[in-house]
Amino acid sequence: MGLVTGLEILAAARAGGYGVGAFNTNDLEITQAIIEAAEEARSPVMLALSEGALKFGGPALVEICKYLGGGAKVPVAIHLDHGSSFASCMRAIRLGFTSVMIDMSHADEATNVAETKRVVEAAHAVGVTVEAEIGRLGGIEEHVNVSAEDATLTNPVEAERFMSESGADYLAVAIGTSHGAFKGKGRPFIDHARLRAIAAVLPQPLVMHGASGVPTALVERFRAAGGVMGDAIGIHEDDVRQAVTEGIAKINTDTDLRLALTTRVREVLASKLEEFDPRKILGPARDEMKRVVAERMHVFGSAGKA
Ligand code: 13P
C-alpha cells in the first residue's frame, strides 16, 4: 500500500466516521513500533515529524520513515508536525513528506491566511496536502509556549472563513486539549458543542492536537521506576471517541509514546543492572510503544479500516 497523502487517509476517515492517529517519531524504534502496530491492527496511520525531530534525526530519519512507511501493507502518510514557516514546509516536501502542517496559529488571522495559502499553493502543485490551525492550544509546542490563560478556543465563524480563504485541506482546532503530560486540573473539559458547531460548517477533516491519554498505569510505572513527574492527566478516552463522532479525523499523539519508551527503558535498566546491549533495552521499549499505539488505534476506530 505504502505512502499516500494525508488527505487521502483523512478524507476516508471523516467520511467513515473514524479517527486516524498521527504518532510522533524521532527514531528507528518509534517508527518501527508505529508501523508494526498499524499493520497488525490493519489501520491507516500518519508518521508525524516535528522540526525538532528533523533536527534530531536529520534526513536519515525521513529515509527510515519512507522505507518503513513505503513498504507497509497499510496506507501511511509522512507528515510535518507544526511547520513554522513556508521554508520549513518546502524543505519537508523536498525530503519526501506527503503532508505538511503550517502552524501560523500564533499570528493574526490575515497573516495566518496569507502564509497558509502560500504553502497550500506550493504543496498542491506537487501533490502534497496541508494542515493549518486556527485558535491556540495551551502547552509547550515546538516553537511556542502557550500558557493556559493564553489558550484561545477556535471560533466556528472564523474557522469557516479561514478554510475558504486559505484552501487548507484539514484543520487543527482548539477545543480544550493541550500538549504535554499535564492537560488540566482534573479531567480536561472538551468543548464538544464548539466542535459540533465547527464540523457543521466545515466538511474538511478536523484535527485534534494534544490528544494523549497519559494513562495512569503508565505514569505510575514511570514513577515506580524512579522517574519524577508532577501532576499528570490526559484526555479521557470517551472524549476522544465522542470527538471522532463529531468530526475529528486526525488525532495527534506524542506524549503517550514518550512515556511508554522512557518507562520501559527505566524498568529494564533498573531490573537488569548488568545489561548494556542496546537491543535488549530498546527492544522492550519498542514493544511497549507498539502496545500503546495499537490500543489507541482501537479507541480511534481506525483498526480494521485498512
Ligand atoms: P500530546 O502531547 O497530547 O501527545 O500531543 C501531541 C501533539 O499534538 C503533537 O502535535
Side-chain angles (χ1 to χ4, degrees), residues 24 81-82 178-180 183 209-212 252-255:
N24 286 78
D81 192 24
H82 294 288
S178 56
H179 295 96
K183 301 186 189 295
H209 280 248
S212 272
N252 290 12
T253 301
D254 186 4
T255 298

Side-chain angles (χ1 to χ4, degrees), residues 129-153:
T129 57
V130 179
E131 173 178 340
E133 178 170 332
I134 187 159
R136 199 177 293 179
L137 265 73
I140 299 166
E141 289 181 4
E142 284 296 313
H143 49 280
V144 265
N145 182 0
V146 183
S147 70
E149 300 74 52
D150 287 339
T152 333
L153 299 186

Side-chain angles (χ1 to χ4, degrees), residues 36-224:
E36 284 173 23
E39 288 191 316
E40 282 175 27
R42 295 198 298 108
S43 168
V45 75
M46 294 180 74
L47 293 170
L49 290 86
S50 65
E51 290 173 357
L54 274 173
K55 199 166 161 204
F56 178 77
L61 175 62
V62 185
E63 292 306 313
I64 287 173
C65 291
K66 280 165 37 182
Y67 181 82
L68 294 176
K73 296 192 221 51
V74 294
V76 178
I78 304 181
H79 174 77
L80 176 68
D81 192 24
H82 294 288
S84 62
S85 65
F86 177 80
S88 174
C89 292
M90 293 308 109
R91 252 195 314 272
I93 291 171
R94 256 252 143 106
L95 286 169
F97 283 61
T98 60
S99 173
V100 292
M101 175 186 192
I102 173 74
D103 181 2
M104 283 284 151
S105 59
H106 52 285
D108 58 78
E109 194 183 327
T111 308
N112 193 357
V113 168
E115 283 306 290
T116 302
K117 200 169 168 197
R118 228 177 126 207
V119 171
V120 167
E121 281 168 5
H124 282 183
V126 291
V128 171
T129 57
V130 179
E131 173 178 340
E133 178 170 332
I134 187 159
R136 199 177 293 179
L137 265 73
I140 299 166
E141 289 181 4
E142 284 296 313
H143 49 280
V144 265
N145 182 0
V146 183
S147 70
E149 300 74 52
D150 287 339
T152 333
L153 299 186
T154 304
N155 175 311
V157 176
E158 279 174 21
E160 187 182 18
R161 186 170 60 221
F162 176 80
M163 288 303 270
S164 80
E165 289 175 5
S166 70
D169 300 295
Y170 22 106
L171 181 70
V173 293
I175 50 169
T177 62
S178 56
H179 295 96
F182 177 69
K183 301 186 189 295
K185 294 189 184 81
R187 179 171 164 174
F189 170 72
I190 303 304
D191 196 339
H192 290 284
R194 181 179 297 270
L195 174 58
R196 286 194 296 274
I198 297 167
V201 292
L202 290 180
Q204 293 92 338
L206 301 175
V207 181
M208 186 188 238
H209 280 248
S212 272
V214 194
T216 311
L218 215 42
V219 173
E220 278 166 7
R221 279 172 54 196
F222 176 81
R223 290 190 184 122

